Amino acid sequence: MSKRPAIGFIFATVLIDVTGFGIIIPVMPSLIQGLTGGTVSEAAQLGGILYGSYAVMQFFCAPIVGGLSDKFGRRPVLLASLFGFGIDYLFLAFAPTIGWLFLGRTIAGVMGASFSSANAYIADISTPEKRSQNFGLMGAAFGLGFIIGPMLGGFFGSYGPRVPFIAAAVLALLNWLYGYFILPESLKPENRREFTWARANPLGTLKSLFRYPVVRGLFIALAFIYIASHAVQSNWAYYTTEKFNWTTKEIGYSLAVVGIVFAVVMGGLIRVIIPKLGQQRSVYVGLGLYSLGFFLYAFATQSWMMYAFTVIYCLGGIAGPALQGIMSGIVAPTEQGELQGGFTSMMSATSIVGPVLMSSIFSFFTRSHDSLYFPGAAMLLGAVLTLCSAVLARMALKRNLKPIEAGTE
């Protein structure tokens, strides 16, 4: 099978998966409030912990999944993950208490390997000069998923907070069937390696990857980016509800707009911007725009500003694929699954810290209307963390400038 159709299959797989995830975002505040009877601030704090429970399990399981995909191939691991997500969404749809929600997200964390396996698949079939652009195409699938998902979530959510979970389950299981009959294997037998428990854990994976100095520095920079991202990812519904009194439909439609802009950037502009600027300069420009977007979100005073500032925020998305392209171009073909498993573990680790940190800051600054009231505090922290990431990335790339340029440009 040629590379172009294979990339199309993975694009569709990620698109459907993200759509299922995006469906549930608009209804989470009302679902948590309905189960607990609490305020938006209290729901935000529980939502952060709920997200963290998923991340804890993914942190420990992602290296195992990455190692298994390096031994058995991407296809079986990806299919198992997608099936697990479908069952989990059904579980969440009928959860009677907040405790059952936590149990459901814990199960999902164990199975949450579809994105790392998809990225490893892309690394398998991409040439070095096309790797960043193809990672950007996966970003476009995320964007489109967040167009379709939140819109459907806002629509289905008007019929009840549990209906979107059933719709997400249907999409995830359809995705599983699609992959079962259509998706080919991407990992050649000569590029497979034996599975070892010494490397199939977060510390073992990082130890193996950190022997590359550039990877070590950029991993730390990415950690700051991922923590910062939760100022939007984990807080958007709560922030807009508190500050602008948005409804479930308005939250869904706003996230759809974010998805549209993100898809345009990652699916089209990135294929022009990264070759034009180069991977390293794309990192710096992207992080600068990303930080500015956080800052503007923090001080938005009107609803329309959230839409306008989204353009700047999403343009910052060019940094992620550029960083991935640099690191993927450095490690060996036999370690691509391990690298993507490392990415997922690192994302999971930051997803333990990020949602709890950002939701706690949001909750603290919205509990009362005294001098400390500032709903945008988490967004402002996101801007600061992104600037720190830019400094760390610069330090890592500057020390290894020539080898990187020679290997990835």
Side-chain angles (χ1 to χ4, degrees), residues 217-274:
L218 295 184
F219 250 70
I220 298 172
L222 273 173
F224 276 79
I225 296 173
Y226 289 138
I227 292 174
S229 70
H230 285 284
V232 171
Q233 292 179 17
S234 303
N235 253 13
W236 184 274
Y238 305 102
Y239 177 63
T240 53
T241 298
E242 174 70 21
K243 193 163 187 178
F244 305 113
N245 199 30
W246 283 4
T247 64
T248 297
K249 280 189 177 180
E250 288 173 313
I251 294 169
Y253 295 153
S254 69
L255 288 171
V257 171
V258 174
I260 291 171
V261 180
F262 195 70
V264 170
V265 172
M266 303 299 269
L269 293 181
I270 200 170
R271 293 180 173 267
V272 177
I273 295 173
I274 289 183

Side-chain angles (χ1 to χ4, degrees), residues 346-387:
M346 187 264 291
M347 289 176 64
S348 299
T350 59
S351 293
I352 298 169
V353 177
V356 176
L357 174 64
M358 296 303 179
S359 62
S360 295
I361 289 175
F362 172 82
S363 179
F364 178 81
F365 282 95
T366 56
R367 283 177 184 164
S368 62
H369 292 267
D370 56 19
S371 58
L372 291 177
Y373 182 78
F374 180 41
M379 300 288 190
L380 188 59
L381 177 58
V384 173
L385 291 174
T386 306
L387 288 177

Side-chain angles (χ1 to χ4, degrees), residues 16-38:
I16 296 174
D17 208 28
V18 176
T19 298
F21 182 77
I23 281 177
I24 69 175
I25 294 176
V27 299
M28 283 304 289
S30 59
L31 178 61
I32 294 174
Q33 283 183 279
L35 289 173
T36 63

